[in-house]
Amino acid sequence: MSDPATIEKRASIGARRNPATHEAVLDAAEALLRESGLAGFSIEGVARRARAGKPTIYRWWPTKTQLLLDVYQRLKLNIRPPDTGTIEGDCLAFLVGLLGYWRQGPGQVFRSIFAEAQTDERAAEALRAYTADRRANTARIFERAKARGELRPDADAAVAAEIIAAFAWSRLLTGRLDADEAELRPVVQQMVRGMLA
């Protein structure tokens, strides 16, 4: 993370995003969010900390939520949907990995995004676009299981992805991320039972 006191002056490169400024803004946003939470998070604070102009930030991130989503994306591990060979194994690995990842800190960022989306329609739209992409990624777990013949042909991978995401989000939003594999296994079994071939 960049220290504002040691950031060298960044030269303008015109209308294109200056990579150094882009990283400085994301560093500043992440640090401010960790220190002050959503209540103390503002574009003004990020601009001050990153030594960037507010117009630059708003040009690249028209809403606070879009900036928060980029911070979250940068923190997020580049994990592909698990492939253990069984639908129960995949779903269990997905939940264990996601809840564990959120416990390390990024969950607070994602909670802040949800909070912002409750009162700002542009924020809600940005969150809807992000979660639609994530659900499509998660749906691959269920599509693979269908291809293996493990799930019924009429099992809807998109709906299944939304159900598993909803469970994870409910844990995130109610501060119950400490579930271990033993607690999550019956949840997964209950969820997939109706889809099995």
Side-chain angles (χ1 to χ4, degrees):
M1 207 174 306
S2 301
D3 178 352
T6 62
I7 294 175
E8 295 180 20
K9 184 164 176 54
R10 295 177 294 268
S12 172
I13 58 172
R16 291 180 297 133
R17 284 193 188 198
N18 181 321
T21 301
H22 183 265
E23 286 303 305
V25 169
L26 290 176
D27 283 347
E30 180 184 342
L32 189 59
L33 193 61
R34 286 184 189 276
E35 291 169 14
S36 307
L38 186 61
F41 186 89
S42 68
I43 297 298
E44 292 80 5
V46 172
R48 245 188 334 272
R49 191 171 193 130
R51 296 184 180 178
K54 278 171 45 180
T56 297
I57 295 175
Y58 279 118
R59 185 170 60 249
W60 296 345
W61 296 279
T63 69
K64 185 161 64 170
T65 298
Q66 288 168 317
L67 177 54
L68 290 169
L69 280 168
D70 270 7
V71 169
Y72 179 71
Q73 285 277 55
R74 193 170 75 149
L75 292 170
K76 193 165 189 198
L77 300 174
N78 188 18
I79 301 174
R80 296 170 193 247
D83 190 358
T84 65
T86 70
I87 188 59
E88 283 189 18
D90 289 353
C91 289
L92 184 60
F94 173 82
L95 286 176
V96 167
L98 182 59
L99 298 187
Y101 173 68
W102 281 341
R103 276 195 306 272
Q104 296 168 19
Q108 183 56 42
V109 177
F110 206 38
R111 282 180 71 162
S112 299
I113 293 165
F114 271 95
E116 188 72 14
Q118 301 310 298
T119 57
D120 182 331
E121 181 53 36
R122 290 195 311 164
E125 182 54 42
L127 181 59
R128 281 192 291 270
Y130 171 78
T131 56
D133 178 65
R134 297 315 304 156
R135 279 194 309 275
N137 189 51
T138 305
R140 285 188 282 194
I141 293 171
F142 301 96
E143 289 161 358
R144 278 198 314 258
K146 282 175 74 171
R148 289 192 301 260
E150 197 176 357
L151 300 184
R152 294 191 336 242
D154 64 345
D156 189 320
V159 170
E162 188 155 6
I163 290 169
I164 199 168
F167 173 82
W169 294 344
S170 75
R171 289 297 179 118
L172 172 67
L173 297 176
T174 57
R176 296 178 300 140
L177 296 175
D178 56 351
D180 61 13
E181 189 171 320
E183 185 180 347
L184 293 172
R185 188 177 302 281
V187 172
V188 167
Q189 290 170 343
Q190 182 73 27
M191 188 190 81
V192 303
R193 193 170 294 160
M195 295 186 291
L196 294 177

